[in-house]
Each structure stands twice: as C-alpha cells, then as structure tokens.
Amino acid sequence: MKFFIGDTHFFHENLLGDNDFAPRLFDTVEEMNQQIITSWNAVVKEKDTVYHVGDVAMHPKYEKGNQEILEQILQLNGKIVFIKGNHDSRAFLNFLAANDPMMPDGTPKFEFHDVGAIVKFNHHQYYMTHYPMLLGTTLNIRNLHGHIHHYSVPIAEDINVGVDAPERDFLPDKLPFGTPLSENMIDIIAEAKAKEVAKLK
C-alpha cells in the first residue's frame, strides 16, 4: 500500500498552538512528535511505502539536531520516499542517507528525490512535489503536494497531503493528527474536492 504525507515539521516549536497557518494543539514538540509516530504506525505496515512530500523537521539546533530527528524517523514503519522540501537541507538528507537502517530484506528504507516523483495507481498518474504545481486542465494527472499547510489551492487536481491540510476534511471520518493518507483516501479527497471546486465556477 502507498501512503502520502508532508510537512511533519518534527521539533518545530513555533507551530504549536491554535493558528491559521498550521494549527497544532500540543503543549510540547515531544507530544507532537509522538502523536505523528503513533498515528503513522497505526496505519503503515513495514511492507508499505510512504511518500513524504517535504519539510520533515525544523530542529532548533539545525544540523546539530539531525541525530534527534533520525531517532524519530527510525520509529516510523515502512519504506520512506523523501521529496525535498524548502526546510530539508542537503546536509540533512545526506545524513539520513548515511544512516539508512535498511529494510528487513536488505533494501534501503530511505529513498530521496530533489524535485519530485511520479507514481501511478487507481487509473491516475500522480506528480508528487513539495510545492503545489499549476497543472492546468489535465486528464488523469493529479499533483500531491505540501508546503502550504492549512491552505488549499482552488484547483481540483492539486491535493495537499500535508498533516495540516484542509483537504483532510473531505474524508468521512476525522483522522488523528499525523496520519498518512492512503491511496483510497486520495481518491475520496479528489472526488470531493472536484465537486467543491466546480461550485466556484
């Protein structure tokens, strides 16, 4: 199974609290970090792949905090494909690559893409990027992105998969904070968002 998430921002204390940009109702980053790990592992199994569309963490010690970030990531189930976000430094991604714990079958747990990646499922092609793409009218192509947190691009083909994304409200049941979105959830969100965007025309 494929899952999608972005903008986890582990250790980013400035996001804590009730705000319009990235509401995170936790008292501490430790509480937020643990909630992401718990929610992630509740749905992702070791054989699954999670596509992370960028901005993994914002540690107050910058590169000196890489080990602490790694300790959080090592608790996450599944293979993780990282698409570089604007807050993901080259040094950080190199650090992850150098400390890849590997999967039980001996293959890498981590994979990296600087700009984006493409996957196909459920009769659609998905361009996964950190920043939203302005695709225009497309046939069976969607953009899964992050970066804009609790905001949404008014384009049906652009789906924000970040942990703070308003698109998550299209799902029939509210997900615990930090839950990656499954392939089937993407289809539900896409259909609902298309109907909402059509109302704007």
Side-chain angles (χ1 to χ4, degrees):
M1 177 70 78
K2 298 178 184 67
F3 290 88
F4 308 90
I5 197 169
D7 301 305
T8 44
H9 282 250
F10 284 105
F11 293 101
H12 195 174
E13 187 172 10
N14 287 346
L15 293 184
L16 298 181
D18 191 9
N19 60 80
D20 291 333
F21 180 62
R24 305 201 176 188
L25 306 180
F26 301 98
D27 293 327
T28 65
V29 291
E30 289 78 17
E31 184 183 349
M32 179 184 72
N33 292 351
Q34 187 56 56
Q35 179 62 54
I36 294 171
I37 293 167
T38 299
S39 297
W40 180 304
N41 290 340
V43 297
V44 178
K45 307 308 177 194
E46 205 56 43
K47 64 183 182 301
D48 296 327
T49 298
V50 181
Y51 293 86
H52 192 302
V53 297
D55 287 2
V56 177
M58 283 281 287
H59 200 285
K61 296 180 181 178
Y62 299 94
E63 291 179 14
K64 292 181 179 179
N66 284 350
Q67 181 61 41
E68 286 187 78
I69 300 169
L70 176 65
E71 289 167 6
Q72 305 300 306
I73 295 172
L74 291 179
Q75 298 177 60
L76 301 172
N77 290 343
K79 176 182 176 68
I80 308 175
V81 179
F82 295 100
I83 292 151
K84 188 177 184 298
N86 58 300
H87 291 298
D88 300 321
S89 70
R90 173 61 49 211
F92 169 63
L93 297 181
N94 288 343
F95 178 83
L96 292 185
N99 290 277
D100 192 322
M102 309 300 283
M103 299 294 285
D105 64 0
T107 59
K109 180 179 178 71
F110 303 150
E111 182 181 319
F112 305 92
H113 294 272
D114 279 353
V115 178
I118 299 175
V119 295
K120 296 180 181 180
F121 61 89
N122 296 350
H123 310 293
H124 281 79
Q125 188 174 64
Y126 290 87
Y127 294 178
M128 295 173 294
T129 57
H130 180 61
Y131 302 101
M133 297 175 65
L134 302 182
L135 292 173
T137 302
T138 65
L139 180 63
N140 298 333
I141 296 175
R142 294 170 179 159
N143 172 219
L144 304 183
H145 67 85
H147 185 61
I148 56 177
H149 291 266
H150 198 56
Y151 292 93
S152 181
V153 176
I155 298 172
E157 292 78 14
D158 287 62
I159 300 172
N160 185 351
V161 297
V163 296
D164 312 300
E167 276 89 332
R168 290 170 174 263
D169 293 338
F170 287 125
L171 294 171
D173 300 309
K174 184 175 176 60
L175 297 175
F177 180 84
T179 304
L181 300 170
S182 70
E183 299 172 34
N184 295 335
M185 289 176 182
I186 295 296
D187 267 355
I188 294 170
I189 290 170
E191 183 176 345
K193 184 171 183 181
K195 291 178 181 177
E196 286 298 310
V197 171
K199 295 176 183 178
L200 302 175
K201 296 179 179 179

